[in-house]
Amino acid sequence: MQRMQKLFSRFVVWMGAICLLAPAFVFSQSEQQQAGAVYQSQSVLRATTRLVILDVVVTDEKGQPVTDLKQDDFTVLEDGKPQQLIDFSFQSPKTVPQAAPRLAPNVVSNFPQYTSASSLNVILLDAINTDFSNHAYAQDMLIKYLDGNPAIQPTAVYALDGRLKLLHDFTTDTTVLREVLAHFKPAGPTHIADVYAAASPFSQRGSFQTSDQGRSALINAMIFLARSLSGYPGRKNLIWLSQGFPLSLFPDTTMGEGAFLVVDFSPLMERIADELMNAQVALYPIDAAGVSIGDRFAARAAMISMAERTGGKTFYNRNDIDVGVRTSIDDGAVYYNMQYYPQNKNWDSRFRKIEVKVNRPHVQLRYRQGYFAIGPNATVSQGTGRDLGTALMPDAPASTGVLFQAAVAPPADKSANKFVVNFGIDPHTVAFRRNAEGLQHAELACVVWAFHGNNPPIEFEGHSVNANLQPDVYERLMKGYIPCQNPIELKRGDYTLRLGVIDRQTNLIGTATLKLNVP
């Protein structure tokens, strides 16, 4: 994509022994100390050390959580071989907002608001893979659930309506979430062939739920959500209200140019599941169609499979969708967290099966089924431009894969329209890798988009930072921030600036929003 390639100019910075820690650094040392301890992104730690994080939900015969198990009660196996746990904890509902760093005036940060909750909930209303009547019913049932003002863990609400939209970021205020949902009106699917297909979308094979548009939108949304949520520690429960997964577990045979074409979506489903599992996201699909006489085995089978792979649970063939939402939220809030380093250090990219056993009879366990053994030095580069472009849209959430602070320096001349956006990037959330010369290497890029009214974004040329650091410089850098600067020039008006940082080695992204008035 040429548009996204223009984002990154090769502004190479050789980070010497003193330059990063000099007084000219974007944030002063006193401001760094005010911010307190630097938050460390679990996603980067996993990428660089292959730490496997495992959440295990344990329920009894009545479906109630089992809360009195100890570490010695569990055995974790990877491809049949026992693993040594390095950390074990029991997580139960608590909602304690994390104290954000104390920021100087006009400084913004994408520091996660909640880092002490046992879990976070993300509700995804899928309007593109659900017919209008079923979507409206599911939305009403969700509003009904919130009408009861239940005590909830921090919850965010998204909609998939052509593309992924954030309706409201994480909050525990059910009244605010209810109001947002009550005023949301989806455009609905735009790819229905005719009114008869809309009235009975499952009456025949090839319904609109399996269209390329619905499939592509959902795939991009799932992967983007996994990556944008990767910086939040702990379990994330993705409660997905949809009429069916637009991918089939079984190869689909179609006729094309006189020959049979076999399309197998199973590798793509494995990729989506792996993205969710690596971000510690459990999928809870809720069938928006409720009780249905239609044969929708393929759609439901895919939903069930994705939930089982990620440690979630599926709700279908029931009209009490509000109960499904409540059960999903409650189910994902109580679990055992375990962590281990794999004994097998052969990173062959193959799938490794995880099995958890417990010495307690008549209990059920739900957890991620495994992971792909991609090495700690693997470079992720696919979809970089597309992901960053999606993350920089004004209705996208603040991504937390890479954490940073940012501020706009005032104009240095009388034109009053030339600014410099200064980034201070948290090095603990960046993937440093030792190269052949023994230097710590990192590749970053920072970029700014400006939005004015309903006009297309003004895309300023991005800047890259390539770091090759001696060990002593690296140690000092970890006590400060990595600087990056973007000069911008704007006409008079009120602007919304979307600020982004991307780790070019892991494809993890951080974004934040800043308001700017140019007089």
Side-chain angles (χ1 to χ4, degrees):
M1 299 175 64
Q2 294 182 353
R3 189 177 84 162
M4 298 309 303
Q5 290 174 351
K6 292 180 181 178
L7 288 174
F8 303 110
S9 66
R10 302 304 298 172
F11 178 69
V12 180
V13 179
W14 178 267
M15 297 184 177
I18 301 177
C19 64
L20 282 178
L21 305 176
F25 187 63
V26 58
F27 297 106
S28 68
Q29 197 70 24
S30 61
E31 288 173 346
Q32 295 174 27
Q33 293 173 351
Q34 287 179 356
V38 195
Y39 172 72
Q40 299 188 14
S41 171
Q42 291 189 5
S43 54
V44 174
L45 292 175
R46 284 200 299 274
T48 56
T49 65
R50 282 313 315 184
L51 177 67
V52 177
I53 299 179
L54 187 63
D55 297 331
V56 182
V57 175
V58 185
T59 55
D60 59 20
E61 293 174 298
K62 297 181 180 180
Q64 298 301 310
V66 177
T67 61
D68 60 344
L69 297 172
K70 309 300 181 184
Q71 179 173 341
D72 293 340
D73 296 323
F74 291 91
T75 301
V76 177
L77 301 98
E78 185 178 289
D79 287 342
K81 297 181 179 180
Q83 304 295 308
Q84 180 65 44
L85 298 180
I86 65 166
D87 192 31
F88 176 91
S89 62
F90 173 70
Q91 301 292 328
S92 59
K94 57 181 180 296
T95 303
V96 182
Q98 176 72 19
R102 294 192 296 271
L103 302 175
N106 302 319
V107 176
V108 298
S109 173
N110 64 337
F111 189 91
Q113 180 182 2
Y114 294 97
T115 60
S116 299
S118 67
S119 62
L120 300 174
N121 301 310
V122 175
I123 298 176
L124 175 59
L125 286 171
D126 188 348
I128 199 170
N129 294 297
T130 309
D131 70 52
F132 181 81
S133 60
N134 287 331
H135 172 84
Y137 177 73
Q139 189 171 337
D140 287 344
M141 288 295 97
L142 182 55
I143 294 173
K144 175 184 176 182
Y145 165 72
L146 295 171
D147 275 339
N149 195 27
I152 60 174
Q153 294 288 280
T155 300
V157 179
Y158 291 77
L160 185 60
D161 186 19
R163 63 182 177 86
L164 187 66
K165 300 177 182 177
L166 174 66
L167 301 185
H168 200 285
D169 212 341
F170 289 109
T171 181
T172 57
D173 190 337
T174 55
T175 302
V176 171
L177 294 178
R178 186 203 177 283
E179 288 302 309
V180 168
L181 286 166
H183 290 88
F184 172 63
K185 296 180 180 179
T190 59
H191 50 289
I192 303 177
D194 50 45
V195 67
Y196 303 104
S200 184
F202 295 107
S203 62
Q204 56 186 351
R205 187 177 182 277
S207 65
F208 75 89
Q209 275 76 12
T210 59
S211 74
D212 290 338
Q213 181 185 359
R215 182 182 301 116
S216 176
L218 183 63
I219 292 169
N220 292 335
M222 289 285 186
I223 294 176
F224 178 77
L225 274 174
R227 293 177 179 175
S228 63
L229 295 171
S230 61
Y232 284 86
R235 180 184 177 96
K236 280 78 66 174
N237 304 308
L238 178 52
I239 303 165
W240 172 43
L241 282 77
S242 178
Q243 205 161 333
F245 207 107
L247 297 177
S248 176
L249 292 175
F250 315 102
D252 189 16
T253 304
T254 59
M255 194 72 177
E257 298 182 357
F260 282 106
L261 302 178
V262 179
V263 182
D264 185 5
F265 292 111
S266 56
L268 187 54
M269 293 185 65
E270 291 176 352
R271 179 193 170 199
I272 297 172
D274 198 52
E275 291 273 3
L276 292 172
M277 290 186 295
N278 285 339
Q280 214 175 342
V281 177
L283 186 61
Y284 285 81
I286 299 178
D287 188 351
V291 177
S292 173
I293 61 173
D295 180 13
R296 304 204 289 103
F297 172 77
R300 286 176 178 167
M303 296 175 83
I304 294 171
S305 174
M306 291 293 291
E308 291 178 346
R309 294 184 191 201
T310 60
K313 187 177 181 181
T314 308
F315 297 85
Y316 60 92
N317 258 347
R318 49 191 299 170
N319 291 327
D320 52 350
I321 293 176
D322 55 324
V323 176
V325 173
R326 183 192 67 208
T327 305
S328 300
I329 290 177
D330 293 343
D331 180 86
V334 181
Y335 61 94
Y336 296 88
N337 177 264
M338 309 173 197
Q339 303 178 18
Y340 69 90
Y341 292 109
Q343 294 185 7
N344 183 2
K345 300 299 190 296
N346 179 24
W347 310 114
D348 54 9
S349 299
R350 295 183 179 180
F351 186 79
R352 295 182 180 178
K353 182 180 179 181
I354 294 176
E355 184 179 5
V356 180
K357 297 182 180 180
V358 63
N359 61 1
R360 179 76 62 87
H362 310 301
V363 298
Q364 290 185 339
L365 309 181
R366 286 198 304 281
Y367 50 89
R368 61 185 293 185
Q369 293 185 346
Y371 67 97
F372 287 93
I374 299 176
N377 293 321
T379 299
V380 181
S381 59
Q382 296 180 351
T384 300
R386 181 186 66 244
D387 290 346
L388 183 57
T390 302
L392 288 173
M393 295 305 292
D395 55 0
S399 297
T400 57
V402 180
L403 300 182
F404 64 88
Q405 298 180 14
V408 177
D413 54 26
K414 297 181 180 179
S415 64
N417 64 347
K418 295 181 179 179
F419 301 83
V420 175
V421 180
N422 291 312
F423 292 80
I425 304 166
D426 181 356
H428 297 85
T429 62
V430 174
F432 281 89
R433 288 163 182 165
R434 190 184 302 274
N435 60 22
E437 291 76 25
L439 304 177
Q440 293 287 350
H441 177 70
E443 296 181 24
L444 301 170
C446 58
V447 65
V448 178
W449 282 11
F451 293 85
H452 178 60
N454 295 322
N455 298 318
I458 303 171
E459 304 173 14
F460 295 98
E461 191 173 44
H463 285 258
S464 294
V465 176
N466 290 349
N468 290 284
L469 306 179
Q470 295 287 351
D472 58 332
V473 181
Y474 171 75
E475 291 298 327
R476 293 200 298 274
L477 174 65
M478 298 306 286
K479 300 177 182 179
Y481 291 90
I482 303 173
C484 189
Q485 291 186 331
N486 268 94
I488 62 175
E489 185 172 352
L490 295 168
K491 298 178 181 180
R492 291 183 60 182
D494 293 319
Y495 294 88
T496 297
L497 302 185
R498 287 289 286 173
L499 316 178
V501 175
I502 183 167
D503 187 333
R504 303 294 293 273
Q505 298 191 104
T506 63
N507 204 24
L508 292 174
I509 295 171
T511 59
T513 301
L514 189 150
K515 301 292 185 179
L516 179 65
N517 172 261
V518 180

